[in-house]
Amino acid sequence: MTHTQLEYLLAVDTYRHFATAAEKCFVTQPTLSMQLQKLEEELGVQVFDRSRVPVRPTELGKEIIAQARVAMAEFKKIAELVKTQRDGISGELRIGVIPTLAPYLIPLFITDFIQKFPDVHISIQELVTANIIEKLKLELLDVGLLVTPLHDKTMVEVPLFYEAFVGYLHPSHPLSAQQEITPETIDPTDLWLLNDGHCFRSQVLQLCNRAKGIRNVHIDYESGSLETLKRIVETQSGMTLLPELSVRELSPEKFALVRPFAEPQPLREVSLVVHRSFLKKKMIESLRNVILAHVPLEMRERNPVRVVKIK
């Protein structure tokens, strides 16, 4: 069993296609296939089911691949230690961010991070939680900025701050006469939601005690954008729930549509998430420090009494 064979093994698992894996490893497909065949012969087991398209690991193959990822990560840490000592913090940092966080958090810290670490190339992907977790497991991302807890033992979660939920109401909405709102006062048929796949949608449903969803009496419309939901509320009717960062830069006119929840406020936990065998520790720790330096103090120091879970 060689380092190269494990590298090819993980590439096939990541891309689920022999030709693509060979291309990513800069070898010919016959070379990659031959090395994987030798590995399987040495182990005496079949790692991949080649009869399926896309190719998939066998049940035992899944366990072998999981251990191979741990072994390769530990091997890479040796080179990483030397590189960090020699070159400082440099290289590529691949970040996955959920859509309800990216437009509001990234602008707070990205310029400062680039200025502090000019030798780091940042690649940011805006993806839903499930896709970020999958890419972290396949080593296609280095770190995720997600809402937690995830209840995934393969992930390490480092909480950063706690963001409050707020209501965003049309001026004629009955709750607009109140200074604060509560989950019990929300009429689910007036509520506009993000579409399936967004963790924020799941949290809103939990908060409103509507695990099976909400149907608007006027029209079925589910958006992938918080900004779209804001515009619908402003120009049509009803209300939506938003994360706190998304309303901090509103004009005074639009901020007048915001209503906080009564204490204890429902919160979402925003964390930096990595795979348990993650690399680039110094780089990711630097990212954490820069983010915290730009997040409002009250979000960092909140007591998380009422964190809304994701189900």
Side-chain angles (χ1 to χ4, degrees):
M1 185 186 308
T2 67
H3 173 275
T4 299
Q5 288 172 334
L6 293 183
E7 181 183 356
Y8 294 169
L9 177 80
L10 298 184
V12 173
D13 179 58
T14 298
Y15 300 104
R16 300 297 170 94
H17 191 273
F18 279 86
T20 304
E23 181 183 347
K24 297 293 183 179
C25 293
F26 304 103
V27 296
T28 64
Q29 183 177 339
T31 297
L32 181 141
S33 297
M34 180 184 66
Q35 288 297 324
L36 285 183
Q37 185 174 348
K38 285 184 177 180
L39 176 62
E40 289 179 322
E41 289 174 355
E42 179 183 343
L43 294 174
V45 298
Q46 186 176 1
V47 179
F48 291 105
D49 181 356
R50 292 164 174 79
S51 66
R52 303 179 66 180
V53 179
V55 64
R56 294 182 182 275
T58 61
E59 286 304 310
L60 180 56
K62 292 177 183 178
E63 296 183 37
I64 293 171
I65 290 166
Q67 188 59 45
R69 288 198 181 277
V70 173
M72 288 294 286
E74 293 301 315
F75 180 84
K76 290 176 182 177
K77 285 178 183 178
I78 299 173
E80 181 182 311
L81 286 171
V82 175
K83 182 179 182 300
T84 301
Q85 180 67 30
R86 183 186 65 226
D87 303 331
I89 297 176
S90 62
E92 183 180 25
L93 182 61
R94 302 164 299 174
I95 306 172
V97 193
I98 55 174
T100 59
L101 193 59
Y104 317 109
L105 181 61
I106 297 297
L108 292 182
F109 73 85
I110 195 65
T111 300
D112 189 28
F113 187 87
I114 292 170
Q115 291 173 347
K116 282 185 168 69
F117 305 99
D119 294 327
V120 175
H121 173 75
I122 298 178
S123 172
I124 300 174
Q125 297 182 44
E126 193 172 314
L127 303 164
V128 296
T129 298
N131 291 344
I132 292 175
I133 293 173
E134 179 182 9
K135 290 200 171 195
L136 286 171
K137 290 179 178 178
L138 294 175
E139 300 175 53
L140 297 175
L141 288 173
D142 300 307
V143 60
L145 292 172
L146 299 169
V147 171
T148 52
L150 299 172
H151 309 293
D152 188 325
K153 294 181 179 179
T154 67
M155 296 291 123
V156 176
E157 302 169 7
V158 182
L160 296 172
F161 58 92
Y162 292 89
E163 186 179 18
F165 288 76
V166 298
Y168 196 67
L169 287 65
H170 187 271
S172 65
H173 194 280
L175 293 181
S176 64
Q178 301 183 20
Q179 294 301 309
E180 296 179 329
I181 60 175
T182 65
E184 294 74 24
T185 59
I186 295 174
D187 180 353
T189 62
D190 281 343
L191 200 58
W192 300 99
L193 291 172
L194 290 174
N195 53 27
D196 283 329
H198 291 272
C199 59
F200 192 75
R201 171 192 171 93
S202 171
Q203 289 179 302
V204 169
L205 293 175
Q206 292 300 319
L207 181 57
C208 295
N209 197 27
R210 295 279 174 155
K212 295 185 178 180
I214 296 170
R215 181 180 178 87
N216 191 288
V217 295
H218 303 295
I219 181 174
D220 287 332
Y221 186 98
E222 295 179 353
S223 173
S225 164
L226 292 178
E227 296 306 310
T228 302
L229 294 182
K230 287 180 187 176
R231 289 293 296 148
I232 291 174
V233 169
E234 293 163 6
T235 61
Q236 301 300 318
S237 64
M239 65 175 292
T240 191
L241 298 186
L242 299 172
E244 185 178 0
L245 281 177
S246 72
V247 301
R248 291 184 71 89
E249 300 299 323
L250 289 178
S251 65
E253 179 185 4
K254 291 185 177 180
F255 194 78
L257 305 179
V258 175
R259 293 293 181 276
F261 277 85
E263 296 288 351
Q265 289 182 302
L267 308 172
R268 68 173 185 171
E269 180 181 78
V270 176
S271 298
L272 185 152
V273 179
V274 294
H275 192 268
R276 64 186 176 190
S277 57
F278 73 102
L279 301 171
K280 306 181 182 179
K281 291 188 177 182
K282 291 286 187 181
M283 198 182 299
I284 292 172
E285 178 65 20
S286 298
L287 174 68
R288 173 184 174 273
N289 292 337
V290 172
I291 291 174
L292 288 176
H294 291 275
V295 171
L297 182 64
E298 64 269 24
M299 292 189 185
R300 288 184 274 132
E301 296 187 344
R302 276 195 179 118
N303 184 12
V305 174
R306 190 180 183 186
V307 176
V308 182
K309 308 298 184 183
I310 304 171
K311 292 187 177 181

